[in-house]
Amino acid sequence: GAVVSQHPSWVICKSGTSVKIECRSLDFQATTMFWYRQFPKQSLMLMATSNEGSKATYEQGVEKDKFLINHASLTLSTLTVTSAHPEDSSFYICSARDLGKLPQHFGDGTRLSIL
Amino acid sequence: GQQLNQSPQSMFIQEGEDVSMNCTSSSIFNTWLWYKQDPGEGPVLLIALYKAGELTSNGRLTAQFGITRKDSFLNISASIPSDVGIYFCAGPRGSQGNLIFGKGTKLSVKP
């Protein structure tokens, strides 16, 4: 089945640090990848849609300069949280769609804790 | 905007019992997806429904796409402890396949 790998799984860092999270589709090509944020006991909220070779589309209220997304290949998208602060602490999850197929397949998430 | 109303919010059941949860929307969806999320992990796709009236099974799980296209339900038969987790319904929004999610149903199974 479709596998999405997300790395790292856990990050703890100081306030002001920039953190990069990688999302890879391992056995399929993904023209579109999605980045979600999930706060404790809440549902997943879409942050942005990442398209290979073009600029990401951000949801309303998500700062594009704060959450930098790069989708340079059909199997890799990265999310960089720039100058992270404690309020950015959350569970970040990526997903990817196989070409022409609807269901998204999710990575295992990255737990980001900013001290 | 589009919203998915999922119920119940949580369930506490005895091992072996059957479970039913549902998802409704004020607008039509052409696809319904059911995911399960274990603590600290990403959601895993359980069942995808593409056609109104469709009834699809995956082991002990059965899901149906309502004929009005505004609702779906998920049933779990003969629950076991590993069924514990949060179950989300989801539907596509937009041309790129963006998903919106229900708020989830947290299932607890007592051995």
Side-chain angles (χ1 to χ4, degrees), chain B residues 29-87:
Chain B
F29 280 86
N30 292 318
T31 300
W32 285 93
L33 305 170
W34 285 94
Y35 288 89
K36 182 193 177 198
Q37 185 178 29
D38 291 328
E41 298 183 13
V44 174
L45 181 67
L46 298 174
I47 293 179
L49 302 163
Y50 299 105
K51 191 177 176 182
E54 180 182 355
L55 183 71
T56 298
S57 293
N58 177 7
R60 293 179 295 107
L61 278 62
T62 302
Q64 183 155 33
F65 192 149
I67 57 173
T68 65
R69 294 197 283 162
K70 292 184 178 181
D71 64 330
S72 176
F73 71 74
L74 175 71
N75 286 345
I76 305 173
S77 62
S79 58
I80 58 178
S82 61
D83 291 333
V84 165
I86 302 178
Y87 292 79

Side-chain angles (χ1 to χ4, degrees), chain A residues 36-46 90-91 93, chain B residues 4 6 37 43 86-90 100-105:
Chain A
Y36 294 84
R37 182 166 50 186
Q38 185 179 33
F39 291 107
K41 298 184 180 181
Q42 294 189 23
S43 189
L44 286 78
M45 296 299 295
L46 181 66
S90 187
F91 192 51
I93 311 173
Chain B
L4 294 182
Q6 192 171 345
Q37 185 178 29
I86 302 178
Y87 292 79
F88 291 100
C89 61
I100 60 170
F101 284 80
K103 293 187 183 299
T105 295

Side-chain angles (χ1 to χ4, degrees), chain A residues 5-47:
Chain A
S5 173
Q6 193 171 335
H7 178 80
S9 57
W10 197 298
V11 179
I12 302 175
C13 58
K14 293 181 180 180
S15 185
T17 305
S18 291
V19 178
K20 180 185 280 189
I21 303 170
E22 291 187 350
C23 182
R24 294 180 185 273
S25 57
L26 296 186
D27 53 357
F28 65 97
Q29 292 185 325
T31 52
T32 307
M33 290 185 173
F34 304 87
W35 288 95
Y36 294 84
R37 182 166 50 186
Q38 185 179 33
F39 291 107
K41 298 184 180 181
Q42 294 189 23
S43 189
L44 286 78
M45 296 299 295
L46 181 66
M47 298 175 65

